[in-house]
Amino acid sequence: MNYRIETLISRAEVEKRIKELAKKIESEYKNKDLICVGLLKGSVMFLSDLIKEIDLPLQIDFMNVSSYGDETTTSGNVKILKDTDLDVNGKNVLIIEDIIDTGITLEYVLAMFRAKGVSSVKVCTLLSKPERRKVKVFVDYIGFEIPDKFVVGYGLDYTQKYRNLPYIGAVVFEEN
Ligand code: IMP
Ligand code: MG
């Protein structure tokens, strides 16, 4: 199928918004411990740009989860492919995501951190598609709310490609 990629959010807009989010996070976690946990692979570019702007002695870690939710299942199956390395018990965890779509992955990950006895767990996502939500999840920091479009760039992929685009693009599918 043919497709093209249209710019939805420019590099300058993304960079500006990341700085704003970082300063909010910085003021909220002043004098507290903080572990930023990125969900692989999509959050990598966002996480690395975000943490450079947070002037705190934070730690980072990564998780890799795969979600098999689809139109016919209500809950979706979420599998942990890689868990965090750091001990999160009694710590403040900030989950870093590329995009919150149905919310199914996030709901599962939040429950998992709570079960590990974290002191707090919050969520920071670059993008959110509120129209697509299937489960109610509270998202503490949102870069941009976007319409129901398939997007790539800044870590997000289409068939594992375009993660390296320095802006957010919408994939537009074309006939023939
Ligand atoms: P959900 O919120 O559990 O439905 O899953 C969110 C995950 O689906 C994200 O972390 C992305 O990996 C993927 N995803 C959702 N929407 C998009 C999109 O528009 N482009 C690329 N990946 C997406
Ligand atoms: Mg993801």
Side-chain angles (χ1 to χ4, degrees):
M1 206 191 293
N2 290 326
Y3 62 89
R4 64 198 153 82
I5 295 168
E6 274 178 4
T7 304
L8 189 67
I9 309 168
S10 73
R11 181 177 191 163
E13 283 176 277
V14 173
E15 288 172 353
K16 178 171 173 271
R17 186 69 184 127
I18 289 178
K19 286 184 181 147
E20 290 170 4
L21 290 175
K23 290 302 141 195
K24 270 195 195 171
I25 293 165
E26 187 182 299
S27 64
E28 187 143 337
Y29 289 91
K30 216 147 238 158
N31 305 314
K32 291 182 186 163
D33 64 85
L34 173 60
I35 304 178
C36 292
V37 177
L39 302 191
L40 295 169
K41 304 170 192 171
S43 71
V44 166
M45 197 182 298
F46 176 43
L47 179 138
S48 63
D49 282 1
L50 182 76
I51 61 172
K52 280 179 278 185
E53 306 293 334
I54 305 175
D55 186 14
L56 292 175
L58 58 83
Q59 294 173 301
I60 65 167
D61 209 334
F62 294 96
M63 259 183 97
N64 193 2
V65 295
S66 65
S67 166
Y68 301 99
D70 60 44
E71 255 52 63
T72 57
T73 54
T74 44
S75 63
N77 279 315
V78 183
K79 203 167 102 185
I80 300 182
L81 304 174
K82 186 221 170 287
D83 205 346
T84 50
D85 299 323
L86 296 172
D87 181 8
V88 297
N89 186 267
K91 299 289 170 70
N92 298 304
V93 168
L94 182 62
I95 297 166
I96 313 291
E97 249 293 37
D98 51 359
I99 189 164
I100 313 293
D101 187 30
T102 63
I104 289 168
T105 309
L106 184 62
E107 183 183 53
Y108 178 86
V109 171
L110 280 169
M112 214 206 69
F113 278 110
R114 289 188 181 119
K116 286 185 179 200
V118 293
S119 168
S120 73
V121 57
K122 291 193 177 188
V123 182
C124 177
T125 187
L126 178 60
L127 305 172
S128 173
K129 290 195 243 186
E131 290 166 48
R132 295 258 311 159
R133 214 70 97 237
K134 283 188 186 164
V135 293
K136 256 196 186 168
V137 282
F138 184 77
V139 184
D140 302 270
Y141 307 95
I142 299 175
F144 301 92
E145 288 199 334
I146 61 165
D148 182 10
K149 290 183 176 183
F150 195 82
V151 291
V152 292
Y154 232 88
L156 292 130
D157 74 298
Y158 174 54
T159 63
Q160 293 297 325
K161 285 179 264 181
Y162 310 112
R163 293 190 193 276
N164 57 318
L165 294 179
Y167 57 89
I168 303 293
V171 180
V172 182
F173 295 95
E174 295 163 329
E175 297 293 316
N176 71 54

